[in-house]
Amino acid sequence: MADGQPVGWGKVDDDESVRAVRRALDLGVTFFDTADSYGTGHSEEILGRALGKRRDDVVLATKWGNVFDPGARTLTGTDDTPEYARRALTASLRRLGTDHVDLYQLHISDADPDRAAELRDACEEFVREGLVRAYGWSTDDPERAAVFAEGPHCAAVQHALNVLQDAPRTLALCERLGLASVNRSPLAMGLLAGRRGGTLEAGDIRSRPPAWLPGYAPDGSGADPRWLARIDAVRDVLTSDGRTLAQGALAWLWARGPRTVPIPGFRTVAQAEENAGAIEKGPLTAGQVAEIDRLLGR
């Protein structure tokens, strides 16, 4: 945050990131989610560069609400005013190199519901102007998500969901109201992709995890052993049928319901290929999901 909280993933290779996005496109990935605060604008710039002339082949989602200092690469607060929403959207469109966003999402998870209603109305105006096709709220609170869902062009809720963090109430809301469930942290910020431990480099958000990022030690020493133990308990089920651990985690999400849209992160071509490889293997069976619930005691 204002004290220098990291907003990135440490060292990245922009050219490799571009190659990874384009490889994902070639493999059939058509939904890309980012936020203006990721890398304090840098993520949007790289995604826009990577998509280039293939922009219209994808559903492009971004978020707003966090205020940041690009020079210092730190977050400096939040702004929940409709006026800021318009300024943020204008800046995101420029960085992404596009004239519209397919899904525009409020990125302040605990915003006041009354203020959120004003922002929902602002999003409706963006839709009328052709700047936004649909909108949603990135929040783990289904009651807050329902406020945005009152808008005719609200299409999604983005929320935490993975094998270790189920969200039955939000999934029920999406089913009831016909919303997409966009799944944040589908690989538990790398833990369900096989990360076991080790000190994290400076600049990696997991080195100083904020409150919304469980599974990592606050002292930067790496993964929480308790989370690793839970992953080990379900590893055999997730890696059955020739899946990697990450592919099994994505398969679990698809098995949770027809509206789930996981958004696994990737920085390399190999990671993009592994994530996309989960598509052809499809969801876990109902029996496998039940076995995972049994093993995790829920």
Side-chain angles (χ1 to χ4, degrees), residues 17-19 21-22 24-25 29-34 43-61 96-98 100 102 266:
S17 296
V18 168
R19 287 191 292 270
V21 169
R22 291 175 177 170
L25 280 165
V29 175
T30 58
F31 182 83
F32 290 85
D33 173 85
T34 185
S43 175
E44 288 184 328
E45 291 173 350
I46 294 300
L47 183 55
R49 171 185 157 194
L51 294 176
K53 294 180 179 180
R54 300 182 69 177
R55 158 67 182 97
D56 291 338
D57 295 339
V58 306
V59 175
L60 183 56
L96 289 164
T98 185
H100 72 280
D102 297 300
F266 57 86

Side-chain angles (χ1 to χ4, degrees), residues 195-270:
R195 183 174 182 87
R196 299 295 298 177
T199 302
L200 293 150
E201 64 183 297
D204 188 322
I205 192 171
R206 296 169 295 185
S207 67
R208 293 180 58 195
W212 57 264
L213 200 171
Y216 285 89
D219 62 1
S221 59
D224 184 330
R226 293 170 297 181
W227 280 58
L228 295 178
R230 295 171 69 201
I231 292 170
D232 287 340
V234 298
R235 183 180 301 275
D236 287 348
V237 180
L238 293 177
T239 58
S240 60
D241 304 313
R243 295 181 176 92
T244 66
L245 181 62
Q247 290 171 344
L250 296 175
W252 179 87
L253 288 164
W254 289 321
R256 286 296 283 116
R259 298 186 176 277
T260 53
V261 184
I263 47 172
F266 57 86
R267 289 191 286 181
T268 67
V269 169

Side-chain angles (χ1 to χ4, degrees), residues 111-179:
D112 177 81
D114 291 334
R115 174 67 85 173
E118 296 181 40
L119 296 173
R120 178 196 64 213
D121 294 343
C123 285
E124 284 293 331
E125 179 60 31
F126 299 154
V127 172
R128 285 191 289 272
E129 295 176 22
L131 302 174
V132 168
R133 297 285 172 81
Y135 57 86
W137 192 343
S138 178
T139 179
D140 293 330
D141 180 358
E143 294 182 1
R144 280 182 164 84
V147 172
F148 255 39
E150 293 176 11
H153 292 91
C154 181
V157 182
Q158 183 168 146
H159 61 101
L161 183 68
N162 58 56
V163 173
L164 306 180
Q165 294 173 281
D166 202 356
R169 291 177 59 226
T170 301
L171 288 174
L173 175 80
C174 291
E175 183 64 28
R176 185 171 72 254
L177 300 181
L179 303 173

